[in-house]
Amino acid sequence: MARILFVEDEEDLLSSLVAFFTREGFEVFHARGGEAAIQLAARMRPDIAVLDVMLHEGPEGPAGKDGFEVLRALRDRGFTGPVIFLTARTLEHDKLLAFDLGADDYITKPFSLLELRARVRAALKRAGGGKSVYRYGTVEVDLDNYVIRHGDELERLSNREQELLKYLIEHRGKVLQRDELLTSIWKYSAGVTTRTVDTHILNVRKKLRDDASEPAFIETLHGIGYKYIAQEF
Ligand code: CA
């Protein structure tokens, strides 16, 4: 489930965005002012942010940050997800500024919720499709190169381990049954049992240097399966 952050000072628009995207299956967070948005993003780590440019009507008033400043602050704090600006402005200069700051898309009010949904999905798809390096403090998972880096030290992943870890990362927060992992990663290879899944999990966990009794990456749900719990930071 994608986590989406909306920052919009107009209360009516914000509530319709929240209602619509919640119905569409997103996990929705929202703020009406820039500072509140920055704090919320730090806590909730959204996958994508949709930012209004002018935030003067919000509780932080005209002295508060605008959408561009919010984007700058989010990027400074390590937010790497896609950003879409929502705005009534149509000035070319603002559009260019938005893209300079690393925005992925720009949508001018009034817009339809369906159009915004399409743009959100497209931005998430582009972001997800291109991503192969994940950072967890000093641990870096580099799926393209089949390695996990711990500072200067390297752990190499086999093909299966890489596929398994990729699948876990892409389904972060979801309980994955051993059968599901078996079917998704090993397809229908002969002689493979859920025991194989357990062995590979064990190896990946060792390479992540994760502690099974107090996991930071892979949680074991006894009799059920596994859950990838690590969040990038
Ligand atoms: Ca506004």
Side-chain angles (χ1 to χ4, degrees):
M1 191 196 302
R3 299 156 73 84
I4 188 165
L5 170 67
F6 286 105
V7 187
E8 167 60 66
D9 58 342
E10 287 166 54
E11 208 151 12
D12 290 350
L13 176 55
L14 183 61
S15 16
S16 68
L17 289 168
V18 171
F20 177 79
F21 278 85
T22 303
R23 254 198 329 271
E24 293 292 315
F26 287 80
E27 193 175 344
V28 180
F29 307 100
H30 58 90
R32 289 181 62 215
E35 281 304 332
I38 293 161
Q39 286 171 27
L40 192 61
R43 271 205 321 277
M44 298 307 172
R45 307 210 164 255
D47 300 306
I48 181 166
V50 177
L51 310 176
D52 185 25
V53 173
M54 301 286 279
L55 296 169
H56 296 172
E57 305 299 318
E60 290 162 32
K65 289 189 161 57
D66 67 15
F68 296 136
E69 290 167 317
V70 173
L71 172 55
R72 222 178 261 132
L74 293 181
R75 293 289 189 233
D76 283 351
R77 284 160 179 74
F79 174 74
T80 53
V83 170
I84 298 176
F85 276 111
L86 278 187
T87 178
R89 295 193 198 180
T90 52
L91 296 174
E92 191 66 16
H93 167 263
D94 282 351
K95 246 183 246 196
L96 295 177
L97 179 58
F99 287 121
D100 268 359
L101 287 171
D104 294 80
D105 208 346
Y106 195 101
I107 183 166
T108 309
K109 293 175 185 174
F111 55 86
S112 84
L113 290 169
L114 293 177
E115 185 186 356
L116 179 60
R117 184 187 66 185
R119 290 185 187 227
V120 163
R121 282 186 179 159
L124 281 171
K125 201 166 168 205
R126 284 196 302 271
K131 193 167 163 78
S132 63
V133 177
Y134 298 83
R135 290 189 183 83
Y136 309 93
T138 56
V139 183
E140 186 181 275
V141 173
D142 181 345
L143 293 174
D144 271 353
N145 291 302
Y146 294 72
V147 295
I148 298 170
R149 296 189 187 90
H150 298 267
D152 294 339
E153 292 172 48
L154 273 190
E155 299 279 4
R156 293 190 189 283
L157 297 167
S158 71
N159 282 339
R160 285 290 193 220
E161 288 166 1
Q162 190 261 15
E163 276 178 68
L164 176 62
L165 184 51
K166 182 171 195 284
Y167 194 86
L168 290 169
I169 290 173
E170 287 173 357
H171 296 83
R172 182 174 69 84
K174 194 172 166 252
V175 175
L176 301 168
Q177 301 199 6
R178 295 144 94 221
D179 275 338
E180 176 184 347
L181 292 169
L182 198 58
T183 330
S184 308
I185 316 283
W186 281 267
K187 316 293 176 202
Y188 296 95
S189 315
V192 175
T193 67
T194 50
R195 212 33 227 135
T196 314
V197 177
D198 296 337
T199 311
H200 278 77
I201 289 277
L202 199 73
N203 290 341
V204 168
R205 188 181 266 150
K206 214 180 284 169
K207 292 180 181 179
L208 285 165
R209 303 186 185 168
D210 200 14
D211 178 357
S213 63
E214 218 177 303
F217 290 90
I218 302 171
E219 208 175 279
T220 303
L221 297 116
H222 291 287
I224 303 170
Y226 300 98
K227 185 159 86 172
Y228 192 80
I229 53 171
Q231 288 200 4
E232 285 187 273
F233 64 96

